[in-house]
Amino acid sequence: RARGLESLGCRIRGFDADPKVIAVAEGNIRRAGLGNHIEVSQRSIEGLTVAEPDSAGLLVCNPPYGERLGDVDALKPLYRQLGKTLKSAGEQWRGAVITSEKELARELGIRAQKTYKLFNGALECDLYIFELSEGQFFTPFDPEKVAPDWDKGLRDSARMLANRLRKNQQRLKSWRIQNEISSYRLYDADLPEYSAAIDIYGDQVHVQEYAPPKTIPDKVAERHLAELVRVASGVLQIPQTRISVKARQRQKGQSQYQRLSRSRDFFVVTEGGLKFRVNLRDYLDTGLFLDHRKTRDLVRKASAGKRVLNLFGYTGSVSVYAAAGGAHSVTTVDMSKTYLDWAKSNFSLNGLQGNHFEFVQADCLQWLEAMLQSRVKPYDMIFLDPPTFSNSKRMEQVFDVQRDHDKLIRACMMLLKPDGQLLFSNNFHKFKMDPDLREQYRIQEITARTLPPDFAKSRNHHRCWEIRHEAAEASEPDAGASRTAAIWQGRK
């Protein structure tokens, strides 16, 4: 060790903006007996000068990647500033930066001479080695602007994608104008190579990437997604900073309720003359299911003077429509406090207040069981939109819509007036209605009536059924209808 230190022909200097980190580093240096060789000081990256004139050296940096300190987008200014610091060092210097995010590495504005794969703990990263000469420098693309040459050098498949987006825009244009639609689905995996859905929310874009087949290499899938974002930005003339990208896959347990990030980037969109808060970044879903636009309007038109129940109420958009339609009362039940608070804010946005609007945080199955054991007033209308699958810790048992829809619908029908209406919806494409239910209730699938034009060809949309008790005036009501009527007579 002593021989190595004697031959050390350079001095090591380190910088960090956090004084606590500097104190820890100084303690480590002191305990290692390297105080004469390593110097650390508190400095921020802005305005930092690391090189003396005509000097040579290596500038190494391990900046934050976004895993612990926030979103990638929030770190881009830091990487741009780091790039400026590296460029100022001089041609006799070399740079080395480690990061797990290729998108952040591009913000440095320097072409890497070499790249090495390595692990920083359990996290897979890239180590970028830079020659700090002007020939390697470039100006990073400003994501706040639309690239003027976005269509240059596109592959033929990407040009086909651009044409498809334009065609879809034109097809939906008159419908959107006539109905004052600002949030809609523009594209849904129309081309196999670009397997994603593109939704427009005002002046922002929400991209939901479908999981690619295992036969497609990760790098190929990444290239396709990057092309899709680039083309969407160019065709729509929307900067990439206003494009949110998520991967769609089967959600388990609480994952549908957990944050993906903490941007708190809420904004308001209008639909049917009503206002709704949406968030494209922080959660898997945005707060407003666009494929249920017509379903919500059906609820509004049928709600005047009625008691309405919204189960698995999510952010309460259906409840807002019911209240705006003049409902006597609206009860919204959901297991998530986050979404119920969101629902309350949607009510406030639309000036809907009063004790006749109730928000209940509960497992819908347990809540239904409790209601069936109490003397509750029956509902005129129930909207039931359960998840396909859930094994949340807050639920007493795993829920599967195919397996459990029978008992769920029967419980709802016991809370529904004899002349009431149940709207049942789910997103499980292989769903089959229990034939025993059809024997007991009048069931009609109304999916075609509830799907708006922008979802007519979508591969990822709901199915919807209207369910009623058999008409009391029917000449020969079946035994199931008689049983339901008897249940109601006993519960009144």
Side-chain angles (χ1 to χ4, degrees), residues 210-247:
Y210 299 117
K214 294 181 179 180
T215 55
I216 297 181
D218 290 344
K219 287 187 177 180
V220 174
E222 290 175 4
R223 184 184 69 189
H224 291 169
L225 181 60
E227 286 178 337
L228 184 141
V229 172
R230 174 183 172 183
V231 169
S233 173
V235 171
L236 300 171
Q237 288 295 287
I238 293 179
Q240 292 191 20
T241 52
R242 296 210 295 269
I243 299 179
S244 304
V245 181
K246 297 172 189 168

Side-chain angles (χ1 to χ4, degrees), residues 261-325:
S261 67
R262 294 188 176 273
S263 72
R264 301 185 183 276
D265 187 13
F266 287 87
F267 61 99
V268 176
V269 297
T270 59
E271 178 189 279
L274 300 170
K275 299 177 181 179
F276 299 95
R277 295 177 76 218
V278 296
N279 186 314
L280 308 189
R281 300 183 185 277
D282 292 351
Y283 302 94
L284 178 67
D285 293 308
T286 65
L288 189 66
F289 294 132
L290 300 182
D291 63 318
H292 266 307
R293 190 186 304 111
K294 291 182 70 174
T295 319
R296 288 188 282 269
D297 196 48
L298 286 177
V299 171
R300 172 164 57 182
K301 291 176 179 177
S303 293
K306 296 183 178 180
R307 291 184 171 89
V308 180
L309 171 63
N310 182 10
L311 291 171
F312 302 94
Y314 189 41
T315 61
S317 57
V318 169
S319 299
V320 169
Y321 266 82

Side-chain angles (χ1 to χ4, degrees), residues 57-61 63 79 82-83 86-87 89-99 101-102 104-116 126-134 136-138:
L58 173 66
L59 197 158
V60 181
C61 189
Y79 276 73
L82 176 59
L86 286 164
K87 292 174 182 178
E91 292 193 359
Q92 298 186 68
W93 280 70
R94 300 179 75 202
V97 176
I98 180 174
T99 181
E101 299 292 334
K102 292 181 173 61
L104 290 176
R106 286 193 293 270
E107 296 298 317
L108 296 170
I110 309 173
R111 298 178 184 86
Q113 181 188 25
K114 292 182 179 180
T115 304
Y116 299 95
D126 288 297
L127 173 63
Y128 297 87
I129 305 299
F130 302 104
E131 294 285 353
L132 300 181
S133 59
E134 288 194 11
Q136 301 302 314
F137 300 162
F138 64 92

Side-chain angles (χ1 to χ4, degrees), residues 253-259 266 283 285 287 310-316 332-345 359-364 387 390 392-395:
Q254 285 291 90
S255 59
Q256 64 263 46
Y257 298 116
Q258 292 177 349
R259 286 183 180 273
F266 287 87
Y283 302 94
D285 293 308
N310 182 10
L311 291 171
F312 302 94
Y314 189 41
T315 61
T332 306
V333 184
D334 197 276
M335 190 166 52
S336 167
K337 182 179 183 301
T338 298
Y339 288 148
L340 282 178
D341 288 343
W342 199 331
K344 293 175 184 177
S345 69
F359 303 88
V360 181
Q361 182 184 2
D363 171 2
C364 289
S390 179
S392 168
K393 294 179 181 178
R394 295 182 184 177
M395 300 182 71

